[in-house]
Amino acid sequence: KNQVEQSPQSLIILEGKNCTLQCNYTVSPFSNLRWYKQDTGRGPVSLTIMTFSENTKSNGRYTATLDADTKQSSLHITASQLSDSASYICVVSVGRGANNLFFGTGTRLTVIP
Amino acid sequence: NAGVTQTPKFQVLKTGQSMTLQCAQDMNHNSMYWYRQDPGMGLRLIYYSASEGTTDKGEVPNGYNVSRLNKREFSLRLESAAPSQTSVYFCASSGQLSGLLGNTIYFGEGSWLTVV
């Protein structure tokens, strides 16, 4: 069964600290993996997208890693800011087509001053 | 550049009422989607339109209908609303079908629907 699991479900960190969010998937055949940021009351916004041949991709203070062998991805946030408070969603794509995205339930990150 | 615009933002319906959620994108994208997001669950695809003139069912299509009015617009209709359809609905678009490499999906801001 194709699944995407994220951990932790929620996380609270102090402003300025780093954190790492995890995504494990059982999706096959793997096409690509995306991380989205969803602010409260808003739509998801793309942070990164990686194919199986990419191990690391950065977007400012966000760095995503991918291990296609173990089917794991992580999103590392450096020097967190209050504006990083949001849900972070891992999305894995299977092959081609539109009905092929598998969404994780997200990690709710709260950054406190 | 507005991106993906959906209306209304909030709506309360009585059971059995009908309504249409409107969505428009100004990025000249071929593919458009409707998702619903419920607490504790990932986004689930209701319907999608790979290109103008085509529509297909997603994971949870029951109780919904869609219309790809033109390349820009993709509407979602609830013919007879039920409490189980209380959810947040997101319209999205992409240049090509979502599975293709490097393709980014752009989401609207969401429509909060409550059915009482």
Side-chain angles (χ1 to χ4, degrees), chain B residues 26 34-35 54 83 90 96:
Chain B
D26 60 4
W34 275 105
Y35 291 90
T54 69
F90 288 97
Q96 300 179 66

Side-chain angles (χ1 to χ4, degrees), chain A residues 69-70 95:
Chain A
D69 291 331
T70 62

Side-chain angles (χ1 to χ4, degrees), chain A residues 14-36:
Chain A
L14 290 174
E15 185 179 12
K17 298 296 186 182
N18 303 335
C19 68
T20 300
L21 314 180
Q22 300 290 343
C23 175
N24 296 334
Y25 61 93
T26 59
V27 167
S28 180
F30 175 84
S31 178
N32 55 64
L33 184 145
R34 315 148 193 253
W35 283 93
Y36 279 84

Side-chain angles (χ1 to χ4, degrees), chain A residues 79-100:
Chain A
S80 61
Q81 300 176 358
L82 297 179
S83 58
D84 292 330
S85 294
S87 287
Y88 292 85
I89 302 172
C90 175
V91 186
V92 182
S93 178
V94 178
R96 289 173 174 263
N99 194 12
N100 67 341

Side-chain angles (χ1 to χ4, degrees), chain B:
Chain B
N1 189 344
V4 179
T5 304
Q6 55 180 111
T7 58
K9 182 79 170 181
F10 300 98
Q11 183 72 50
V12 178
L13 287 178
K14 293 183 179 179
T15 297
Q17 285 186 319
S18 62
M19 78 158 297
T20 299
L21 299 176
Q22 306 286 352
C23 175
Q25 52 90 9
D26 60 4
M27 295 173 282
N28 201 34
H29 284 166
N30 288 322
S31 301
M32 298 186 72
Y33 318 83
W34 275 105
Y35 291 90
R36 61 178 289 173
Q37 186 176 40
D38 301 292
M41 303 184 73
L43 284 151
R44 293 182 293 169
L45 183 64
I46 304 171
Y47 270 92
Y48 67 97
S49 171
S51 60
E52 185 179 357
T54 69
T55 61
D56 286 286
K57 295 178 180 179
E59 180 185 355
V60 288
N62 291 344
Y64 305 95
N65 284 303
V66 291
S67 295
R68 184 72 183 267
L69 305 172
N70 48 56
K71 191 172 185 179
R72 290 185 65 249
E73 298 172 290
F74 189 39
S75 63
L76 178 72
R77 182 162 179 82
L78 286 70
E79 291 291 352
S80 178
S84 61
Q85 294 179 303
T86 293
S87 187
V88 184
Y89 292 84
F90 288 97
C91 178
S93 71
S94 62
Q96 300 179 66
L97 290 178
S98 57
L100 296 178
L101 297 179
N103 189 49
T104 297
I105 301 172
Y106 296 86
F107 288 86
E109 293 294 279
S111 295
W112 273 252
L113 176 65
T114 301
V115 182
V116 298

